[in-house]
Amino acid sequence: MLPIYLDNNATTAIAPEVLEAMLPFLKQEYFNPSSMYEAAKPARKAVEQARDAIAAAIGAEHASELLFTSCATESVNAALFGAVQANPNRRHIITTAVEHPVVTESCRELERRGYDVSWIGVDRQGQIDLGQFVRELRPDTLLVAIMHANNETGVVFPIERLARVVKETDPAILFLCDATQSMTKLPINLGGNFHYVDMLAFSGHKFHAPKGIGGLYLRRGTRCRTWMIGGHQESGRRGGTENVPYIVGMAQAVELAATTHDEDRKRIESLRNKLEQGILQKISHVEINGGGAERMPNTLNVAIHFVEGEGILYQLSDMGICASSGSACTSGSLEPSHVLSAMGIPFTAMHGSVRFSLSRYTTEAEIEFVLREFPEMIARLRRLSPYWDQTHNRPR
Ligand code: PLP
């Protein structure tokens, strides 16, 4: 039996349309797009068509502002370290306490190299402290690195407002947005609401393209050093033979999302709300992490008091339900989530937090199955939980 897959913020299934579009470039059109002979022309054309399509979908002014990478991790590294190298006179960076490890660990590395990093806190709902953000902007601020939507809670940051404040304070400060969770799911228009964003990172596998392909938007004129020295590919900024099938697949995934976006969004949000309401009704002592903030329509992070998150995930897994306790990278560890601790979620609630993330392939029957089995499972775990006993004064 196929698992019930509710971990779409970790990765998504490849859409059949995407696989279909990729196949010719895995089979007969295998040529190197840089080769000069006639046979390689379709591969070259496919890469440029994909670039045009994705650049247009995000409102880029020029297709050349979009570079293909292997994943969002590469894109963020390239943007952060490339910007640091190209702007040696400034040494202050602003980020938040709830970023994905690609940003937090890169910023920690910059701290070790002598850069000054301001870590902006969030409130109990996971929303950014705007006052602190504005106060941290300094004459030597080089870059702001902030996510659009949080991978653990789905909380959406007001990128338009933040980027505007930055540029109105000092147009030379670079604004990097990690849009890995929001790409194709929330409106992103680099000529509109994201007009003040200089750099934008994303990964194809979060929106039904394969793993191993990503993108970095670099606004024309942004000072950022080349990161992958090699051939002339990607305007000489990122050497390496292009991954033609995956590039084609990612463009197909972007186009697919554009045509189905409104319908998908409504359906996914209503399934997420059904799951959320059902859990709130059927299980006592639960709260929705980030529930009071604007959130991604597909994400539900729920704190279940008096049980261990690890136990919940194992039990869910036994029932064929895939969920997670946090980001894909940290869910393998027992460390409490840095996102939930930055939000001030109490220790016991943090340990019993589970993230369900839906996609266009999630069905109503799957949500109903979870709503039938999950409350029972929590009741069983609580009967075994010493925390539950202590709080409810039952002698063991
Ligand atoms: N940024 C965010 C917000 C993410 O959720 C992730 C992955 O979960 C990444 C960056 C890194 O993406 P990738 O592992 O595809 O490089």
Side-chain angles (χ1 to χ4, degrees), residues 79 82-90 142-143 172 174 198-199 218-225 237:
V84 160
Q85 279 186 44
N87 300 274
N89 297 330
R90 295 186 176 216
L142 159 63
L143 176 119
L174 298 176
D198 300 298
M199 305 187 272
L218 262 188
R219 194 176 288 280
R220 211 180 236 198
T222 302
R223 291 215 311 275
C224 182
R225 271 278 176 85
R237 285 178 175 274

Side-chain angles (χ1 to χ4, degrees), residues 27-345:
K27 291 178 172 173
Q28 62 275 21
E29 304 293 351
Y30 54 81
F31 305 97
N32 188 324
S34 300
S35 298
M36 292 312 292
Y37 34 79
E38 204 52 32
K41 265 193 185 162
R44 187 155 58 246
K45 195 165 159 212
V47 169
E48 290 326 311
Q49 276 176 347
R51 198 186 308 280
D52 289 346
I54 301 175
I58 57 175
E61 200 178 342
H62 307 279
S64 61
E65 294 173 313
L66 176 69
L67 305 176
F68 293 120
T69 65
S70 60
C71 59
T73 299
E74 181 190 333
S75 303
V76 168
N77 271 269
L80 260 175
F81 292 99
V84 160
Q85 279 186 44
N87 300 274
N89 297 330
R90 295 186 176 216
R91 301 189 66 82
H92 175 234
I93 286 152
I94 300 179
T95 188
T96 80
V98 295
E99 298 298 311
H100 183 273
V102 64
V103 171
T104 39
E105 291 307 316
S106 298
C107 286
R108 284 205 188 110
E109 173 58 26
L110 288 172
E111 280 182 327
R112 286 190 285 275
R113 296 183 193 178
Y115 286 80
D116 197 6
V117 178
S118 297
W119 302 86
I120 311 294
V122 294
D123 63 17
R124 184 62 197 263
Q125 296 306 325
Q127 198 44 267
I128 191 166
D129 182 335
L130 276 173
Q132 189 198 356
F133 180 78
V134 173
R135 285 194 300 278
E136 294 292 348
L137 292 166
R138 308 192 321 214
D140 66 332
T141 304
L142 159 63
L143 176 119
V144 172
I146 289 197
M147 65 194 346
H148 189 192
N150 189 278
N151 44 306
E152 294 192 30
T153 58
V155 170
V156 177
F157 280 162
I159 294 299
E160 183 174 1
R161 199 157 155 209
L162 297 172
R164 183 185 295 274
V165 170
V166 167
K167 293 293 178 179
E168 282 174 0
T169 306
D170 178 356
I173 300 174
L174 298 176
F175 197 99
L176 164 63
C177 177
D178 175 2
T180 309
Q181 290 295 340
S182 59
M183 177 73 178
T184 75
K185 296 170 196 152
L186 296 178
I188 294 178
N189 180 356
L190 289 146
N193 63 340
F194 275 41
H195 176 66
Y196 293 110
V197 170
D198 300 298
M199 305 187 272
L200 184 99
F202 57 91
S203 235
H205 72 102
K206 304 289 185 184
F207 52 92
H208 306 291
K211 285 165 265 302
I213 185 73
L216 173 62
Y217 164 84
L218 262 188
R219 194 176 288 280
R220 211 180 236 198
T222 302
R223 291 215 311 275
C224 182
R225 271 278 176 85
T226 297
W227 64 99
M228 195 96 99
I229 296 170
H232 56 82
Q233 294 93 347
E234 302 302 296
S235 322
R237 285 178 175 274
R238 198 252 187 200
T241 303
E242 297 88 341
N243 189 346
V244 184
Y246 283 43
I247 289 171
V248 169
M250 186 162 72
Q252 180 65 37
V254 166
E255 286 181 7
L256 186 65
T259 51
T260 60
H261 178 266
D262 291 343
E263 204 185 305
D264 279 350
R265 188 192 160 109
K266 275 194 214 124
R267 213 181 60 80
I268 292 169
E269 190 160 25
S270 95
L271 287 179
R272 191 273 311 266
N273 292 347
K274 179 172 178 156
L275 182 60
E276 182 168 316
Q277 289 310 317
I279 288 175
L280 287 171
Q281 276 162 17
K282 293 179 177 203
I283 309 175
S284 66
H285 302 90
V286 292
E287 62 189 290
I288 307 303
N289 294 322
E294 185 190 342
R295 268 180 307 158
M296 291 285 293
N298 78 322
T299 308
L300 171 60
N301 190 314
V302 56
I304 322 240
H305 293 253
F306 313 112
V307 271
E308 280 286 336
E310 200 198 1
I312 303 176
L313 292 183
Y314 282 132
Q315 296 273 327
L316 282 173
S317 171
D318 282 349
M319 289 170 4
I321 300 169
C322 306
S324 141
S325 60
S327 76
C329 327
T330 48
S331 58
S333 85
L334 288 178
E335 287 291 303
S337 143
H338 71 288
V339 175
L340 301 183
S341 39
M343 288 162 69
I345 308 288

Side-chain angles (χ1 to χ4, degrees), residues 360-371:
R360 75 157 74 101
Y361 301 121
T362 306
T363 65
E364 182 132 29
E366 289 177 324
I367 296 300
E368 280 165 2
F369 179 83
V370 176
L371 283 176

Side-chain angles (χ1 to χ4, degrees), residues 285 304-308 348-349 352 381-382 385-388 391-392:
H285 302 90
I304 322 240
H305 293 253
F306 313 112
V307 271
E308 280 286 336
T348 50
L381 284 174
R382 278 183 174 163
S385 161
Y387 304 127
W388 179 255
T391 316
H392 293 78

